[in-house]
Amino acid sequence: MAEHQGPLDAIPKTNYQSLLTIANYYSTKQMIEQVLSEDQDYVSWKLKENRTGGTMNAFLNFDNYNFGPGPEPEQVPDNKLNRVPADLTFVEDEYDEIRDEEIKSIEKGNDNPEQLSNDEQFKLLVLNLDEDQSNRFEVFHRTSLNKGQVKKLATTVCNQTIGENLRVFLQAIGKVFAGEIIELALEARRKWFIGKMVCEFDRRKEIGQRLKKYLKKLTILVEKNNSNTNDNNNNLEFNVNELFENDSVEENESDSYYDDEEAEMKEVQMGNKLLKSEKNTQEIRSGLITRYNKLVKAFNSLDISFEKYQNSPLLPEHVRQASRLYHLQKEGVITNAWRGQGEASGTMFR
């Protein structure tokens, strides 16, 4: 399987001395910070949209508005400045005329033009739906619960055979209930994906910080190794330290880890030993390159975009969360049985 392409490139294990330069370190560091900055803006925008519900910018058409300078105003004689034009029409009058014409065109034969009938209100609502709303309305309008299952369930609960009218009524109520549960489940799924997006961003930010430390350590080791082959060892070593003097990355700082993740804990501990090592051997440099390439692959593979989950199906966890939210919204007081669900510890109660 082809490796995931991303903004960072891996370091070859051989003939890497010409690639690990100070200029390469600063350019790679700038690339990592740029990627994290773009991800930070995206995450902040999504979190703000989740808190505020978004804006109306997507529904406004600014193409018809001219924000540039307008034409020069017409010169009006002084004797006409305080006069009201005879053909002046106020905006309120224009709206009233348009509204009256629309009502007359929709309500032909209605005695009260100020009040629309239910059928006319429904027709007016359907005609003003956009394409997405029309599609959802058609799906909801044509969808229905299984007649046999509704009748069987009602017969089991009531312990008697129900009539056809009651079956139709229960089928309609069940359809509304299912719609509310699905709507809450979609909202729960969206919030779950937002939480996953934040976790992915935190993970990518952590990997980016580790990448900068590994790359700086490798660059210093390669520069020191090159200085040993030259005659002016002291001058070159002094120049390397001077170039990294204002850099904020601490290459000898240990990375943190969690004890419950054993595989990652061992990997981080081995990486910390390499970062703190004062030796400049081929084995140390090879170990740093191996771990750097793993982090590059993980950094490139992480994708925090929220849109890729839009068409994902609902999971049972989303439906259960929607059921809990529905009970919390519809019931004023939570019963003791509801508090004791799960492991009877109240963890499911919100």
Side-chain angles (χ1 to χ4, degrees), residues 244-259:
F244 286 110
E245 182 179 1
N246 297 326
D247 189 64
S248 60
V249 178
E250 295 291 340
E251 70 277 5
N252 296 325
E253 183 181 0
S254 300
D255 294 323
S256 59
Y257 55 87
Y258 294 101
D259 297 337

Side-chain angles (χ1 to χ4, degrees), residues 10 44 75 96-97 116 119 127 166 209 263 278 283 306 319:
S44 300
Q75 297 294 333
D96 291 340
E97 293 178 1
L116 299 176
D119 295 339
L127 292 177
L166 183 57
Q209 184 64 24
E278 298 295 337
E283 182 181 359
F306 180 79
V319 179

Side-chain angles (χ1 to χ4, degrees), residues 16 24 29 39 44 46 52 55 64 71 98 111 114 120 122 130 150 179 243 247 258 280 288 290 305 323 331-332:
Y16 55 83
N24 175 73
K29 177 185 175 183
D39 292 346
S44 300
K46 282 298 182 181
T52 60
T55 62
N64 299 328
I98 295 174
D111 297 335
E114 297 294 335
E120 291 167 346
F122 179 77
D130 57 19
V150 171
L243 289 174
D247 189 64
Y258 294 101
N280 191 1
L288 290 172
T290 301
S305 62
S323 178
E331 296 182 3

Side-chain angles (χ1 to χ4, degrees), residues 322-340:
S323 178
R324 290 195 291 267
L325 292 176
Y326 182 83
H327 282 284
L328 289 174
Q329 293 175 2
K330 299 300 180 180
E331 296 182 3
V333 180
I334 307 300
T335 61
N336 293 329
W338 172 254
R339 294 176 185 271

